[in-house]
């Protein structure tokens, strides 16, 4: 996590695209969560005095649903994270930990899972959580835009007493990582705020929208404040205005997105790890990128740590493989130290001889990605591999990828937390724009999905991937929580929960 004072003029980007939103789920492809920018440190002399509020407030879009399965991204999702909980939750290392699930078993084939619910959990209205509630929510999620792809491997869901049984079409020993989906009480999903089991409940009884501490929360209390005011923000511009004028004290943002907006204020931020991979994709159907040795040489030809620092302002984690380095599955023993001499030697050993200029496709609407793409093109060109950046608007960019009209492309994908890479690397995968097909990789992907020892299986997969290099991982980007200075203390946000460690937080308010 990173925390620093932002300059008085912040350049933010607010969750605005449909393909991937701030604090949202895994709609599969490229363009960003919310925006971000590079920030310069303020000197102590330049820092503004903290403005401590009388009441802690979050932005809220009145009239829009808070149902976590269908609500819009950004501010509604932030509120929903305080109202609802899943069978599991993802920790800061992007690994599942039990929440509403007390325990689970699986059969020998890893296709039938039975989840036993935690005893004594009630919804905020006092009614007991049942397996039928879980089944109802997961069935809705299976057909939702947000979760349909994630849950496509599920064949059926059944409920009996306090147990939920999920049957898969094929083995997946990482299924719990997919089940952080927030559960709502069956039959309430059509309400503006369905009933949940979380630390707060929604109230607008007096005409003012609030989150009120859930007195029947199964964790036994510990909420940092009894009430959170929900301040109207009908659109993103209004939300930003509310934040800069201190009407609200916290928002979420992707600080490497596409639409920076000026904002003022005495503000700090915390970064959270995500499963969002940025990478360089190769068209393996075109020479010279049909040569695995040449692709491997390119993979060693750029400094990932420098890219994150210089072009993403540190809002990411350099990665040589398509699994986050914060995960216990990341094969750090396979990493190779960047060296310009090693790149030159690998390039020579690949048999490459300078030829035509290669095209590097990138979405022109994201200036951060364009800058990284230009750095890569300059780095490769200076080594004798001429590369030219082709920056296109989003629709033209996606059309060119789908048509295979590129040599290299700068890609971004939100991976699922079970680190299933089949869509990206499998033969015929929906995100396999480079048309790479390799039976051995397909076998390794299948072996990983069914492996009891997932770390060893991932290492085997990555060892083979390092030599074949159909994609060249660059980094996993971060998302950020922006806060008014000195109001929230001790916060640890995660990809899906800005208030992950809620009971460890202190929220400072003016004394009444």
């Amino acid at each position: 996590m990173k925390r620093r004072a932002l300059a008085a003029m912040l350049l933010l980007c607010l969750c605005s695209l449909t393909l991937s939103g701030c604090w949202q789920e895994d709609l599969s492809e490229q363009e960003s969560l919310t925006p971000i920018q590079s920030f310069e440190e303020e000197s102590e002399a330049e820092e503004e005095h903290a403005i401590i509020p009388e009441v802690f407030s979050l932005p809220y879009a009145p009239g829009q649903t808070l149902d976590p399965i269908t609500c819009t991204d950004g501010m509604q999702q932030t509120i929903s994270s305080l109202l609802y909980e899943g069978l599991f939750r993802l920790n800061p290392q992007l690994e599942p930990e039990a929440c509403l699930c007390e325990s689970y078993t699986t059969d020998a084939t890893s296709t039938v899972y039975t989840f036993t619910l935690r005893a004594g959990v009630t919804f905020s209205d006092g009614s007991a959580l049942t397996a039928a509630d879980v089944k109802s929510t997961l069935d809705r999620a299976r057909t939702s835009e947000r979760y349909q792809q994630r849950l496509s491997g599920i064949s059926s869901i059944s409920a009996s007493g306090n147990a939920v049984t999920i049957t898969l079409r094929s083995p997946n020993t990482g299924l719990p990582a997919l089940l952080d989906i927030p559960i709502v009480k069956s039959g309430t999903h059509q309400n503006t705020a369905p009933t949940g089991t979380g630390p707060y409940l929604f109230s607008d009884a007096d005409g003012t929208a609030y989150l009120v501490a859930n007195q029947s929360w199964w964790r036994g209390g510990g909420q940092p404040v009894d009430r959170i005011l929900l301040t109207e923000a009908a659109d993103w511009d209004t939300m930003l205005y509310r934040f800069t004028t201190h009407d609200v004290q916290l928002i979420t943002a992707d600080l490497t997105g596409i639409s920076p907006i000026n904002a003022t204020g005495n503000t700090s931020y915390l970064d959270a790890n995500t499963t969002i991979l940025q990478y360089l994709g190769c068209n393996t159907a075109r020479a010279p990128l049909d040569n695995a040795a040449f692709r491997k040489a390119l993979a060693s030809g750029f400094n990932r740590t420098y890219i994150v620092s210089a072009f993403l302002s540190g809002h990411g984690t350099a990665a040589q493989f398509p699994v986050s380095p914060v995960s216990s599955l990341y094969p750090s023993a396979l990493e190779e130290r960047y060296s310009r001499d090693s790149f030159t030697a690998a390039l020579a050993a690949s048999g490459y001889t300078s030829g035509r200029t290669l095209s590097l496709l990138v979405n022109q609407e994201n200036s951060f990605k364009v800058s990284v793409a230009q750095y890569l093109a300059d780095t490769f060109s200076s080594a004798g591999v001429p590369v030219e950046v082709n920056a296109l608007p989003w629709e033209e960019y996606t059309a060119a990828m789908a048509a295979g009209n590129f040599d290299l492309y700068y890609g971004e994908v939100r991976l699922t937390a079970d680190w299933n890479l089949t869509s990206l690397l499998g033969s015929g995968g929906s995100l396999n724009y480079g048309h790479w097909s390799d039976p051995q990789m397909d076998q390794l992907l299948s072996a990983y999905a069914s492996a009891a020892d997932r770390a060893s299986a991932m290492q085997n997969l990555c060892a083979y991937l390092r030599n074949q290099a159909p994609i060249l991982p660059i980094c996993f980007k971060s998302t950020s929580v922006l806060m008014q200075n000195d109001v929230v203390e001790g916060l640890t946000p995660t990809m899906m929960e800005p208030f992950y460690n809620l009971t460890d937080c202190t929220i400072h308010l003016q004394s009444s």
Side-chain angles (χ1 to χ4, degrees), residues 182-201:
I183 304 301
V184 306
K185 183 177 179 177
S186 178
T188 70
H189 67 274
Q190 293 182 337
N191 299 341
T192 298
T195 306
T197 65
Y200 288 88
L201 59 90

Side-chain angles (χ1 to χ4, degrees), residues 53-207:
E54 294 182 359
V55 61
F56 184 70
S57 181
L58 295 173
Y60 166 63
Q64 293 188 19
T65 181
L66 290 169
D67 174 23
I69 306 302
T70 60
C71 76
T72 56
D73 301 326
M75 53 188 168
Q76 301 298 84
Q77 281 285 314
T78 296
I79 296 169
S80 290
S81 72
L82 293 169
L83 300 174
Y84 312 105
E85 299 167 307
L87 290 175
F88 296 84
R89 64 199 302 223
L90 297 181
N91 66 19
Q93 289 71 49
L94 303 170
E95 296 175 340
E97 58 183 31
C99 187
L100 299 181
C101 175
E102 185 170 47
S103 63
Y104 69 93
T105 60
T106 184
D107 70 345
T109 66
S110 298
T111 59
V112 180
Y113 282 78
T114 299
F115 300 92
T116 300
L117 300 185
R118 188 180 297 276
V121 176
T122 62
F123 288 104
S124 59
D125 65 358
S127 61
L129 170 71
T130 69
D133 295 308
V134 176
K135 171 178 164 53
S136 174
T137 297
L138 295 182
D139 280 340
R140 284 201 304 122
R142 290 173 63 194
T143 60
S144 70
E145 182 181 9
R146 186 181 301 279
Y147 294 108
Q148 183 176 31
Q149 180 177 350
R150 176 200 285 212
L151 301 181
S152 61
I154 293 179
S155 173
S156 65
I157 303 174
S158 63
S160 178
N162 69 338
V164 178
T165 298
I166 296 179
T167 302
L168 303 177
R169 294 186 174 88
S170 59
N172 183 1
T173 54
L175 178 63
L178 304 181
L179 299 179
D180 63 332
I181 297 169
I183 304 301
V184 306
K185 183 177 179 177
S186 178
T188 70
H189 67 274
Q190 293 182 337
N191 299 341
T192 298
T195 306
T197 65
Y200 288 88
L201 59 90
F202 177 83
S203 174
D204 60 356
D206 62 356

Side-chain angles (χ1 to χ4, degrees), residues 19 62 70 82 90 117 174 181 220 267 271 281 309 365 417 425 458 461 463:
L19 285 180
T70 60
L82 293 169
L90 297 181
L117 300 185
I181 297 169
T267 307
D271 278 356
S309 175
E365 293 155 11
L425 299 173
M458 178 60 78
L461 190 159

Side-chain angles (χ1 to χ4, degrees), residues 272-285:
N273 301 309
T274 77
T275 60
I276 300 173
L277 171 69
Q278 293 191 355
Y279 64 98
L280 198 60
C282 302
N283 189 340
T284 61

Side-chain angles (χ1 to χ4, degrees), residues 295-304 338-340 342-344 346 375-376 379-380 382-383 472:
R295 298 194 301 265
K296 183 181 179 182
L298 291 185
S300 68
F302 53 92
N303 189 329
R304 293 164 172 84
Y338 169 73
S339 164
R340 181 74 174 185
S342 296
F343 172 39
T344 302
Y375 159 77
L376 293 169
T379 299
F380 293 151
S382 66
L472 318 181

Side-chain angles (χ1 to χ4, degrees), residues 346-399:
L347 198 58
S350 73
Y352 171 78
T353 55
S354 184
R356 66 182 180 85
T357 298
L358 305 181
S359 65
L360 198 174
L361 189 66
V362 66
N363 174 23
Q364 72 176 23
E365 293 155 11
N366 187 301
S367 61
F368 300 93
K369 293 178 182 178
V370 173
S371 295
V372 177
Q374 192 59 59
Y375 159 77
L376 293 169
D378 293 343
T379 299
F380 293 151
S381 296
S382 66
V385 182
V387 175
E388 183 177 77
V389 172
N390 181 21
L392 296 176
W394 174 246
E395 290 186 0
E396 293 180 31
Y397 165 78
T398 54

